[in-house]
Amino acid sequence: MHLQMKKTFALSTILISFCLSLSISAQINLDSLWDIWNDPNQSDISRLEAIKKIAWDGYIYSDPEKAFDIAQMAYDFAKSKGLKKQMAQALKTQGAAFYIQADYVNALNFYARGITILEEVGDKREIGHTLNNIGVIYKEQGEYASAIDLYTQSLAIMEEVGDKRGIANYLNNIGLIYTKQGEYTAAMDFYTRSLAIKKEIGDKKGISNTLNNIGLIYKDQGEYALAMDFYTRSLAIKKEIADNLGIAHTLNNMSNIYYSQGDNTSTIDHSQRALTLAQETGHVSEIRDAANTLYIAYKATGMYKLALENHELYVETKKAIEKEENQREVMRQKYKYHYEQKVIVDKAAHILESSIQKSKLEKAKTQQLTLISGLVILLIFLSFIYNRYRVIKRQQLIILRQNSKLSIATEVEKKSNQSKS
């Protein structure tokens, strides 16, 4: 136990020193990027590129909420300048910030908003990359059919625009899902096509990863010699490009085959090398896997003290990973709850607005009917008045005529009386 504590302390010291050096260099880089962003003499594109790097290099993984706020600054600035492509890039960063927080609903929303703008400017390549990001979310949630559909759309766009790196990556992504589903023939087809393109463009890291993926298929099918061949080829390239995390991962895969074949000596050798590299890079899942394999191998060879030490390390890292996963799940559920509440509130607001609009419409209709009714009554009244006017005028005319006749008769009679006298 004392030995294990010393090893843990040594590891902590290494990691702290490593993180401090990264932090100092990152801070220097961020300071220069902030200088560019805050300099109005720089071009708008240069300033937006700088703040995009600030969000991604400085905060996207360590403080995604701050990365989101920084991306909002980029979005607002790009919008004020009418730079739609940069607006879409900012939305993509915000989508990634939500994805890292396991808020998949908002991540999908921001990715979708970005695609809408990218369609306006006709940037097919970025549309393809964003569709791939959406595919990753569906894969994370186990919705493999939807993920494959989105990866396939991304692949089609990459083929259309001639982006070979994108083609190779998305072929590999589709292969990974088929592997998860145990559809090895389909997976092998996509991996083989991806590998050919990666060799063509000289993507060494991509080549080594795909070789490793092919090795996993052969391992799952019990073809250990073929699996080991692909792992060995992958390992050689990873060493060439100094990909220590990749080396640790491949060594872990190789140790599993050695253990399956009963070769505990080689199992321990490869797992110990994997553990050392994983501790140097601070990658907990590789530490967990290597420690577990070492525990099993040491136990099988009767080296119980070493078995116990590695079992404790395995349990410790496993708990740390589970805690992080639980935190992500809690966060995801929290965001899901807030989203559902927002949907309910929005729906209630919509119903209320519809009710108000309906009430206004009904009120308007009532007012209209009242006005029409009033006009009809007024017309009827005016018609009555007009008719009465006509009757009165007719009566007046008759009376005038009668009066006229009476006057004439009176005048005649008067003249007649004068003649007689």
Side-chain angles (χ1 to χ4, degrees):
M1 289 292 295
H2 181 63
L3 173 63
Q4 184 63 42
M5 288 175 64
K6 286 201 297 183
K7 286 166 66 177
T8 305
F9 176 76
L11 171 61
S12 301
T13 305
I14 292 169
L15 286 176
I16 290 169
S17 301
F18 178 68
C19 292
L20 282 174
S21 65
L22 280 180
S23 175
I24 292 169
S25 91
Q27 187 61 47
I28 293 170
N29 184 44
L30 289 179
D31 287 344
S32 63
L33 290 171
W34 278 117
D35 288 342
I36 295 172
W37 165 249
N38 291 316
D39 184 359
N41 295 320
Q42 297 281 344
S43 69
D44 294 339
I45 301 298
S46 296
R47 294 177 69 187
L48 286 165
E49 192 61 32
I51 200 168
K52 175 185 172 184
K53 287 183 179 179
I54 291 169
W56 278 95
D57 297 348
Y59 301 102
I60 196 73
Y61 297 108
S62 60
D63 191 349
E65 290 184 358
K66 186 164 185 177
F68 177 90
D69 293 338
I70 291 171
Q72 186 63 47
M73 292 165 59
Y75 177 85
D76 293 339
F77 181 77
K79 185 177 181 180
S80 71
K81 301 295 183 178
L83 299 170
K84 290 192 172 183
K85 182 176 178 179
Q86 284 69 28
M87 288 168 61
Q89 288 176 346
L91 289 169
K92 186 178 177 182
T93 301
Q94 291 178 309
F98 278 120
Y99 165 73
I100 289 166
Q101 297 176 83
D103 183 356
Y104 298 139
V105 173
N106 272 316
L108 290 172
N109 177 42
F110 276 84
Y111 284 147
R113 287 175 58 192
I115 287 176
T116 300
I117 295 175
L118 291 169
E119 285 174 342
E120 290 177 15
V121 299
D123 192 337
K124 292 183 177 180
R125 179 180 279 101
E126 277 302 312
I127 291 172
H129 292 325
T130 308
L131 287 172
N132 175 74
N133 291 353
I134 295 173
V136 170
I137 290 177
Y138 283 113
K139 185 200 76 173
E140 290 273 327
Q141 298 179 98
E143 297 182 35
Y144 296 137
S146 296
I148 286 178
D149 178 57
L150 285 155
Y151 287 154
T152 303
Q153 291 182 51
S154 304
L155 177 61
I157 292 173
M158 294 302 109
E159 289 173 337
E160 183 182 346
V161 300
D163 186 336
K164 291 188 177 182
R165 186 176 295 274
I167 294 170
N169 289 336
Y170 300 151
L171 285 169
N172 189 72
N173 285 354
I174 296 171
L176 286 170
I177 292 183
Y178 280 124
T179 301
K180 280 182 174 289
Q181 294 178 313
E183 298 180 42
Y184 297 129
T185 302
M188 187 66 79
D189 174 58
F190 281 95
Y191 286 150
T192 303
R193 290 162 59 190
S194 174
L195 184 60
I197 296 172
K198 286 175 178 178
K199 286 180 177 178
E200 181 185 343
I201 63 177
D203 180 6
K204 290 188 176 181
K205 186 170 184 177
I207 294 168
S208 66
N209 289 338
T210 305
L211 288 170
N212 186 75
N213 292 341
I214 293 172
L216 284 170
I217 289 180
Y218 283 123
K219 190 266 292 182
D220 288 346
Q221 294 179 316
E223 299 186 40
Y224 297 138
L226 282 171
M228 192 61 76
D229 175 57
F230 278 90
Y231 286 154
T232 302
R233 290 160 58 188
S234 173
L235 184 61
I237 297 173
K238 289 183 185 298
K239 287 180 178 178
E240 181 186 342
I241 61 176
D243 179 7
N244 287 340
L245 177 58
I247 294 170
H249 183 67
T250 305
L251 286 170
N252 269 329
N253 289 341
M254 295 172 82
S255 68
N256 289 331
I257 291 181
Y258 283 124
Y259 180 75
S260 298
Q261 294 175 324
D263 186 349
N264 288 319
T265 302
S266 296
T267 300
I268 291 170
D269 173 61
H270 283 70
S271 288
Q272 190 59 61
R273 288 157 59 194
L275 178 60
T276 301
L277 287 170
Q279 288 175 328
E280 288 175 359
T281 57
H283 203 281
V284 248
S285 65
E286 295 300 333
I287 295 173
R288 175 201 59 193
D289 294 344
N292 188 46
T293 304
L294 284 169
Y295 155 66
I296 295 169
Y298 279 132
K299 184 179 178 182
T301 54
M303 304 173 73
Y304 299 118
K305 185 176 184 299
L306 289 171
L308 178 59
E309 288 179 359
N310 281 282
H311 181 64
E312 290 173 347
L313 179 58
Y314 163 70
V315 171
E316 180 186 340
T317 50
K318 183 172 179 286
K319 284 181 179 178
I321 291 170
E322 287 173 351
K323 182 180 178 181
E324 183 180 345
E325 289 174 349
N326 289 338
Q327 287 173 339
R328 281 174 61 83
E329 180 59 23
V330 167
M331 195 176 293
R332 191 181 74 82
Q333 291 297 334
K334 181 186 78 171
Y335 283 121
K336 182 181 178 184
Y337 170 77
H338 287 317
Y339 174 75
E340 289 171 349
Q341 291 297 108
K342 184 177 181 298
V343 169
I344 292 170
V345 171
D346 289 347
K347 189 173 182 180
H350 176 69
I351 292 171
L352 180 62
E353 180 65 23
S354 297
S355 176
I356 292 170
Q357 292 299 327
K358 185 178 179 181
S359 176
K360 286 181 178 178
L361 185 61
E362 288 175 352
K363 185 177 180 180
K365 285 182 178 178
T366 302
Q367 290 175 339
Q368 190 177 29
L369 286 171
T370 302
L371 179 62
I372 292 171
S373 299
L375 287 172
V376 169
I377 292 170
L378 180 62
L379 288 171
I380 292 171
F381 178 72
L382 290 173
S383 176
F384 173 77
I385 295 297
Y386 179 68
N387 287 333
R388 290 297 302 159
Y389 172 75
R390 288 177 63 190
V391 169
I392 291 169
K393 290 296 288 183
R394 192 179 299 116
Q395 288 174 345
Q396 287 177 340
L397 184 60
I398 291 170
I399 291 170
L400 285 172
R401 286 175 180 172
Q402 289 176 344
N403 289 338
S404 178
K405 288 180 181 179
L406 182 62
S407 296
I408 293 171
T410 301
E411 186 67 28
V412 170
E413 184 179 353
K414 184 177 178 182
K415 286 182 179 181
S416 174
N417 291 332
Q418 289 175 351
S419 300
K420 289 178 180 181
S421 60

